[in-house]
Amino acid sequence: FEVRDMWPESYSEVSGRDNGPEVALLRSISDLLYKQATAIIVLAPSNVDRICERGISRSKIVTIPNGVDLSGFAETRGGVDLSTEGAFTLVYAGAHGPANDLETVVRAAHDLQQRGRDDIAVVLLGDGSSKDGLIALCQELQLTNVRFVDPVSKDEIAATLRTADAGLMILAPVDLFTYGVSPNKLFDYMGAGLPVLTNVAGLVSDLVHQADVGSTVRPGDPEALARGMEAMADDPPVNARENGEAFIRAHYDRRTLATRVEDLLTSLLSTTR
């Protein structure tokens, strides 16, 4: 059983609902899956403790995070040009939903526009339930420094990201996201050689600083995010491309991670024969 998101924890923290029939149902389903699984894969180390608290043996939980296929990222075919002439362009690539808190990004862009920083642009790449509302908010604020781009295929993501100057790793300010996530977009940014600006404290912030590819600002704070954008545009991290690729190769190369999954499945087969 591979746990892509913790349930009902993800729902509860984003919605603010700790009780109710939907929470009880999600908890009962996840507990049943935990108990029936021969092995459990989680994406982040701290999720091991959370699952163990549900009465599950630590011995059957394995941590295998998300990662990047660096061989695929070496290709430069296709893609969409995200660059903005005369401006340092920061891209957010991913879902546009309540958990992603992209209103903070839009309001940070508004702060920059109000202060005349027309040399900084934002691209929101992707789709989701919040996208229409975000577009309407940009229209209401009369923003000229935010552009929305439809999703691109995984084959085109590397070439697309490389046309930007930095990546935005943004999530809502909830406790679960400080320990329980392994965001694909973070590793995609690194694999594409982009500096990273994040507002996610905890594990994500630690990875950004360990890789030496960027910086962290306070979550849920548009002004703090705007200042972080300014700082990155005015003084981009040195060697972010080399540092990001080296960090991915050492810790998050998808081919290495796939081998770990294969080894796990092989060991499970040998114990059931």
Side-chain angles (χ1 to χ4, degrees), residues 7 15 29 36 45 62 65 92 102 172 186 191 201 221-222 224 245 249 267:
W7 295 96
S15 69
I29 291 172
Q36 289 189 340
V62 179
Y92 168 89
L102 295 183
L186 173 62
D221 185 335
E245 182 175 332
R249 194 175 300 282
S267 69

Side-chain angles (χ1 to χ4, degrees), residues 14 19 68 73 77 116 120 134 138 148 156 158 168 174 198 215 228 243 250 264 267 270:
V14 174
N19 299 296
V68 172
F73 263 53
R77 60 184 175 181
I120 301 174
L134 293 167
C138 287
F148 290 86
E156 298 177 307
L168 291 171
V174 299
T198 184
S215 56
N243 293 345
L264 173 61
S267 69
S270 66

Side-chain angles (χ1 to χ4, degrees), residues 15 24 69 74 92 103 143 148 151 171 226 236 254 258 260 262:
S15 69
D69 180 2
Y92 168 89
E103 182 176 337
L143 298 188
F148 290 86
L171 283 172
R254 187 169 292 166
R260 290 171 56 188
E262 182 182 21

Side-chain angles (χ1 to χ4, degrees), residues 90-187:
L90 298 104
V91 59
Y92 168 89
H96 294 34
N100 307 108
D101 194 29
L102 295 183
E103 182 176 337
T104 294
V105 177
V106 170
R107 294 197 179 278
H110 180 244
D111 181 83
L112 292 170
Q113 183 168 295
Q114 290 288 94
R115 292 189 288 106
R117 288 303 306 256
D118 55 3
D119 59 333
I120 301 174
V122 174
V123 175
L124 299 180
L125 169 65
D127 207 350
S129 61
S130 299
K131 186 168 183 175
D132 289 345
L134 293 167
I135 292 173
L137 179 60
C138 287
Q139 292 171 343
E140 176 187 335
L141 297 174
Q142 299 182 342
L143 298 188
T144 58
N145 57 354
V146 177
R147 179 158 54 106
F148 290 86
V149 175
D150 290 336
V152 299
S153 69
K154 195 67 176 177
D155 290 341
E156 298 177 307
I157 192 64
T160 297
L161 291 178
R162 288 195 182 102
T163 64
D165 298 301
L168 291 171
M169 178 61 240
I170 307 296
L171 283 172
V174 299
D175 183 58
L176 176 66
F177 296 154
T178 67
Y179 66 82
V181 293
S182 180
N184 273 313
K185 65 177 70 64
L186 173 62
F187 305 124

